[in-house]
Amino acid sequence: MTIKMDKRLRADHFRTRLSRAMRDTNTSQSALARDIGVDRSTISQLLTDEGARLPNGHVVGACAAALGVSADWLLSLSDRPESAADLLANSLSLSEAPRALVDQRIFDWHREAAGYKIRHVPAALPDMLKTRALLEWEYAPHLGRTADQAIGASEDRLKWMRSAQSDYEIAMPRFEIESFVEGTGYYAGLPLDLRLAQLDRFIELCDQLYPRLRLYLFDAQRLYSAPLTIFGPLLCVFYAGGHYIAFRDRDRIETFTRHFDTLVREATLSARELSSHLQDLRQTIS
């Protein structure tokens, strides 16, 4: 949003902010003049002229680049001194996503957001609701000899997440549960006894943790979502397979929060209905 300001006041702010930026970077008038290719007298005039006139765009941009601030900040069009590139770098991060359950980065994000509502669209079934047997079936091929140790550590973290003072809303495609029950697609080859035990675990946790844990099923023919987690107002993280893409700027977090709320609002099965639906599905394979 553009900040409306009298020309004289804006010029005064420009002098104040230019002086501050020079002081913060320990830049002298002579050094700044050399950096932007003007006479020292020009910089002196920028700092002392009490009129309403602002320098041309080239000089403003050159000063901003030399001092590591944004031109918008110098001109009082923004309250953030960082450049656009710095703002983007600080608001977006890319990190590796190891093939594991709850790696350290995920756990740190959950601890940072403790007490806030956490909205989650999992890539498959939610890890925090899985039995140990399902975790071993799913992750042992990737973890090899360290599977037992890794799963044990992850179980402790999952237990912490379930007991933390955060509300969890989970939205996932309805076909994911149905594919699991039938042992098809991703779950092909999963033994019947593991599927039955997992369904019992789902039913137990959905009843036990409701309303702090609410799981919704949406119709993937009508709606789509990439795997993502929104940690309250703090950050939004996309899972891209081998990497996490994390956003911390408010506008993007609000955009994806609205996206998640649409999944919940348009869900074909609400959190209240889920337990009975799972029990019905269990009857079809028992």
Side-chain angles (χ1 to χ4, degrees):
M1 183 176 65
T2 301
I3 302 173
K4 293 183 179 180
M5 186 179 296
D6 176 82
K7 289 182 179 181
R8 184 174 294 276
L9 181 59
R10 190 181 299 279
D12 181 59
H13 280 203
F14 173 82
R15 291 189 291 273
T16 300
R17 292 188 172 188
L18 180 62
S19 177
R20 171 184 157 185
M22 292 174 63
R23 182 176 64 252
D24 289 347
T25 57
N26 196 28
T27 302
S28 67
Q29 293 186 25
S30 297
L32 182 58
R34 287 194 302 270
D35 287 343
I36 70 173
V38 299
D39 294 333
R40 183 184 180 282
S41 60
T42 300
I43 303 301
S44 178
Q45 185 177 9
L46 292 177
L47 293 168
T48 59
D49 188 356
E50 296 183 357
R53 185 176 179 182
L54 287 165
N56 63 46
H58 172 76
V59 171
V60 173
C63 287
L67 297 170
V69 296
S70 72
D72 281 354
W73 179 74
L74 286 177
L75 294 171
S76 295
L77 297 173
S78 169
D79 289 329
R80 298 291 298 269
E82 302 97 326
S83 67
D86 288 338
L87 284 172
L88 182 60
N90 291 333
S91 68
L92 185 151
S93 64
L94 183 69
S95 58
E96 289 190 9
R99 188 70 167 99
L101 287 80
V102 184
D103 63 38
Q104 186 62 45
R105 186 171 297 276
I106 291 179
F107 191 52
D108 288 344
W109 284 330
H110 277 270
R111 289 193 298 183
E112 180 185 353
Y116 289 110
K117 180 190 288 188
I118 295 175
R119 300 167 170 88
H120 181 46
V121 180
L125 297 179
D127 282 342
M128 67 185 300
L129 304 181
K130 290 174 182 174
T131 63
R132 184 180 182 89
L134 181 56
L135 293 173
E136 291 174 346
W137 176 86
E138 186 170 5
Y139 288 99
H142 306 278
L143 300 176
R145 294 181 180 179
T146 63
D148 188 67
Q149 180 181 356
I151 289 173
S154 293
E155 283 182 317
D156 292 338
R157 293 176 175 182
L158 294 170
K159 182 178 180 181
W160 181 91
M161 287 160 58
R162 287 196 294 264
S163 63
Q165 298 303 308
S166 292
D167 282 0
Y168 280 85
E169 284 190 338
I170 299 175
M172 54 189 295
R174 187 165 179 164
F175 76 79
E176 190 73 35
I177 288 285
E178 294 169 353
S179 177
F180 167 77
V181 171
E182 297 165 1
T184 59
Y186 179 82
Y187 306 100
L190 182 61
L192 176 61
D193 60 332
L194 266 66
R195 284 181 276 146
L196 290 172
Q198 181 61 68
L199 279 171
D200 290 339
R201 181 64 168 159
F202 274 147
I203 294 167
E204 175 190 358
L205 289 177
C206 287
D207 290 339
Q208 174 187 332
L209 300 179
Y210 182 87
R212 280 191 48 242
L213 170 70
R214 300 183 294 280
L215 199 155
Y216 302 84
L217 302 182
F218 60 86
D219 182 357
Q221 289 185 317
R222 297 179 52 247
L223 300 167
Y224 171 77
S225 178
L228 69 105
T229 306
I230 304 167
F231 295 89
L234 304 179
L235 76 159
C236 173
V237 179
F238 279 86
Y239 175 61
H243 293 82
Y244 300 119
I245 305 172
F247 300 96
R248 285 190 177 272
D249 60 297
R250 185 181 62 186
D251 289 344
R252 286 187 176 90
I253 293 171
E254 290 180 351
T255 294
F256 293 118
T257 297
R258 290 194 296 271
H259 160 73
F260 184 91
D261 289 345
T262 298
L263 299 178
V264 170
R265 187 171 58 252
E266 300 294 328
T268 57
L269 271 172
S270 70
R272 289 180 178 274
E273 302 168 312
L274 183 65
S275 180
S276 60
H277 177 65
L278 294 176
Q279 292 178 41
D280 292 341
L281 289 176
R282 193 189 190 288
Q283 294 300 317
T284 66
I285 60 171
S286 60

